[in-house]
């Protein structure tokens, strides 16, 4: 994408993109808080991820002719199908794990890192059969964690539904229409409360917009989908497993304690943060600056970094709030979902990339382009 962008005489960015660029600058400056080589590697890894999603945003925003809204929605729908298939692999083969070839050539000094070990030995569920907490396996493939699966599913589903509207007169419509209720099974078996909240928020938001416009078809479609969810919930052992998880797991209390510690320790370096998460003072609790993108940015890059990061997402959401075209409205919904889920999900890498693609779709002009990379409109800033 960078190669194609460099070949263009002009590369355009939308108004407000400076918020994100300021975040990138602030993020780079926060490297002053890094205190070890290992954390520096992690810092560089995350910085490259931020850079990658930035490039994807600029490319999609500019490639308005070749990358149509329909095409992008179709690609994300295919990705959604892969997520659903991964969920079913976790349902039917919960103990399956794959040792990646790259993990065999990495030195033990790197693979001994807990995160790297989870990357090179890929499991299809988040499940510990030897753990003292006897919890049922929760699908996670193709992601490292179940929360990653829930984040991706909740952000992609509104786009899939919008894509169904675009292809309603084509044969693929019926296959995708069947895939939506089929996908509910692994979604419910993840027992992912954050995902349920995100999907519920999306449904309520779209319903309110549909009621305001008097769109009866959308209201009936959402009502039918809600009935399918209720039916699946009553057939599958969801309530029993969810109750068991809530009663035996202290994840809610641990998160509350972690968020409090994160905020308190962030006050020790409020400007640029610590560059990366650090171990918690409480044993058995994840590192400070994890379990939520907002908290990671706050702890790693300071309070200004958190304001700029969330400010960009909020700006993109409100700028697109009046969209009515199905995919663009779905992308606006996705931005609302990611704003909320950023408070308890780590959205790197998938969630942030989907959010940036959604922002690029909603921010670029709807008028047709005459070239592969369209010149800026009056409301856009131009980079030479």
């Amino acid at each position: 994408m960078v190669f194609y962008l460099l070949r263009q005489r002009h590369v355009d960015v939308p108004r407000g993109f400076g918020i994100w660029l300021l975040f990138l600058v602030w993020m780079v400056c926060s490297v002053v808080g890094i205190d070890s080589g290992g954390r520096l590697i992690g810092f560089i890894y995350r910085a490259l991820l931020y850079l990658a999603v930035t490039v994807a945003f600029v490319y999609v925003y500019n490639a308005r002719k070749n990358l149509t809204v329909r095409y992008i929605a179709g690609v994300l729908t295919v990705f959604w199908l892969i997520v659903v298939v991964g969920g079913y692999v976790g349902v039917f083969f919960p103990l399956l794990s794959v040792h990646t070839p790259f993990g065999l050539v990495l030195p033990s000094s790197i693979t001994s890192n807990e995160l790297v070990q989870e990357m090179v030995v890929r499991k299809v569920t988040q499940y510990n059969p030897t753990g003292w907490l006897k919890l049922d396996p929760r699908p996670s493939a193709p992601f490292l964690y179940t929360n990653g699966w829930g984040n991706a599913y909740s952000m992609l589903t509104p786009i899939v539904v919008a894509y169904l509207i675009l292809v309603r007169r084509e044969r693929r419509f019926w296959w995708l229409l069947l895939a939506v209720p089929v996908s509910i099974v692994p979604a419910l078996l993840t027992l992912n409360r954050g995902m349920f909240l995100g999907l519920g928020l999306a449904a309520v938001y779209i319903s309110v917009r549909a009621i305001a416009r008097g769109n009866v078809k959308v209201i009936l479609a959402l009502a039918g989908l809600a009935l399918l969810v209720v039916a699946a919930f009553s057939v599958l052992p969801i309530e029993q497993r969810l109750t068991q998880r809530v009663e035996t797991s202290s994840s809610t209390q641990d998160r509350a304690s972690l968020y409090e510690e994160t905020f308190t320790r962030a006050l020790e370096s409020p400007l640029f943060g610590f560059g990366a998460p650090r171990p918690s003072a409480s044993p058995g609790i994840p590192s400070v600056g994890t379990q939520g993108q907002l908290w990671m940015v706050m702890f790693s890059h300071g309070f200004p970094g958190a304001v700029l990061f969330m400010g960009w997402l909020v700006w993109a959401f409100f700028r697109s709030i009046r969209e009515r075209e199905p995919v663009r409205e779905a992308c606006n919904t996705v931005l609302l979902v990611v704003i909320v889920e950023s408070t308890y999900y780590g959205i790197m890498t998938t969630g942030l990339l989907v959010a940036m693609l959604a922002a690029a779709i909603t921010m670029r002009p709807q008028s047709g382009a005459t070239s592969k990379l369209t010149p800026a409109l009056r409301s856009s800033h131009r980079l030479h």
Side-chain angles (χ1 to χ4, degrees):
M1 291 182 181
V2 170
F3 173 76
Y4 280 112
L5 288 170
L6 290 177
R7 292 179 60 189
Q8 306 306 311
R9 180 174 301 178
H10 303 292
V11 175
D12 310 326
V13 295
R15 181 180 299 168
F17 189 63
I19 301 173
W20 179 255
L21 294 180
L22 284 174
F23 165 72
L24 293 180
V25 172
W26 203 271
M27 179 271 300
V28 171
C29 292
S30 67
V31 71
V32 298
I34 297 296
D35 62 347
S36 69
R39 292 195 178 103
L40 179 60
I41 294 175
F43 178 90
I44 295 173
Y45 169 69
R46 285 184 290 273
L48 290 175
L49 291 178
Y50 285 129
L51 181 61
V53 299
T54 303
V55 171
F57 173 89
V58 175
Y59 185 87
V60 170
Y61 179 80
N62 283 269
R64 299 165 200 162
K65 182 179 180 181
N66 289 6
L67 295 183
T68 63
V69 170
R70 175 191 168 102
Y71 179 82
I72 298 171
V75 171
L76 292 176
T77 298
V78 172
F79 182 37
W80 177 85
L81 290 171
I82 295 173
V83 172
V84 174
V85 170
Y88 270 102
V89 172
V91 171
F92 291 114
F93 308 99
L95 298 180
L96 177 66
S97 63
V98 178
H99 293 256
T100 64
F102 193 56
L104 300 177
V105 300
L106 285 175
S108 59
S109 59
I110 296 179
T111 57
S112 60
N113 179 275
E114 182 179 356
L115 177 60
V116 175
Q117 182 63 209
E118 291 174 342
M119 289 180 174
V120 298
V121 182
R122 302 305 294 265
K123 299 179 181 179
V124 298
T125 60
Q126 195 168 336
Y127 177 53
N128 183 9
T130 62
W132 66 275
L133 285 177
K134 301 302 179 181
L135 299 176
D136 293 300
R138 303 164 61 207
S140 61
F143 307 100
L144 292 180
Y145 309 111
T146 300
N147 284 348
W149 196 98
N151 176 230
Y153 182 82
S154 59
M155 292 184 64
L156 292 169
T157 299
I159 297 176
V160 173
V161 174
Y163 184 70
L164 275 171
I165 298 175
L166 296 185
V167 300
R168 60 187 179 276
R169 293 183 177 88
E170 302 177 22
R171 183 180 300 177
R172 72 184 71 180
F173 169 83
W174 300 105
W175 293 103
L176 285 176
L177 186 63
L178 177 62
V180 171
V182 169
S183 72
I184 294 175
V185 175
L188 290 177
L189 290 176
T190 62
L191 307 179
N192 201 315
R193 292 167 291 177
M195 180 194 67
F196 297 153
L197 177 60
L199 289 172
L201 174 65
V204 170
Y205 179 68
I206 295 174
S207 298
V208 170
R209 292 178 61 117
I211 293 173
R213 296 199 303 264
N215 195 329
V216 179
K217 292 183 179 179
V218 173
I219 298 172
L220 292 177
L222 289 173
L225 188 59
L227 290 176
L228 286 174
V229 172
V230 172
F233 192 87
S234 61
V235 173
L236 298 171
I238 305 301
E239 183 176 3
Q240 176 185 355
R241 291 189 178 186
L242 190 58
T243 301
Q244 179 189 22
R245 181 167 180 259
V246 172
E247 291 178 349
T248 58
S249 175
S250 60
S251 61
T252 303
Q253 295 84 350
D254 290 345
R255 276 179 176 263
S257 175
L258 182 63
Y259 293 158
E260 181 181 359
E261 183 182 358
T262 300
F263 182 81
T264 302
R265 291 178 60 176
L267 293 174
E268 300 174 7
S269 182
L271 195 58
F272 291 112
F274 294 90
R278 302 284 179 88
S280 172
S282 303
I285 293 182
S287 296
V288 177
T290 60
Q291 311 302 307
Q293 188 70 24
L294 170 63
W295 306 97
M296 193 277 286
V297 175
M298 177 192 301
F299 187 81
S300 300
H301 313 304
F303 289 98
V307 170
L308 291 170
F309 181 88
M310 298 302 295
W312 162 248
L313 295 177
V314 172
W315 166 262
F317 167 72
F318 280 106
R319 174 164 175 166
S320 60
I321 201 169
R322 295 185 179 181
E323 296 287 354
R324 293 194 174 187
E325 189 274 330
V327 175
R328 287 173 174 261
E329 184 176 351
C331 288
N332 173 254
T333 304
V334 166
L335 291 170
L336 175 62
V337 171
V338 77
I339 289 171
V340 174
E341 292 189 352
S342 292
T343 61
Y344 53 81
Y345 275 160
I347 63 172
M348 297 175 71
T349 59
T350 303
L352 184 57
L353 178 58
V354 173
M356 295 296 274
L357 295 179
I361 290 173
T362 59
M363 286 184 170
R364 65 186 189 179
Q366 296 193 46
S367 58
T370 57
S371 62
K372 186 173 183 179
L373 293 176
T374 308
L377 298 183
R378 293 179 180 177
S379 61
S380 299
H381 300 295
R382 177 168 290 174
L383 298 178
H384 298 277

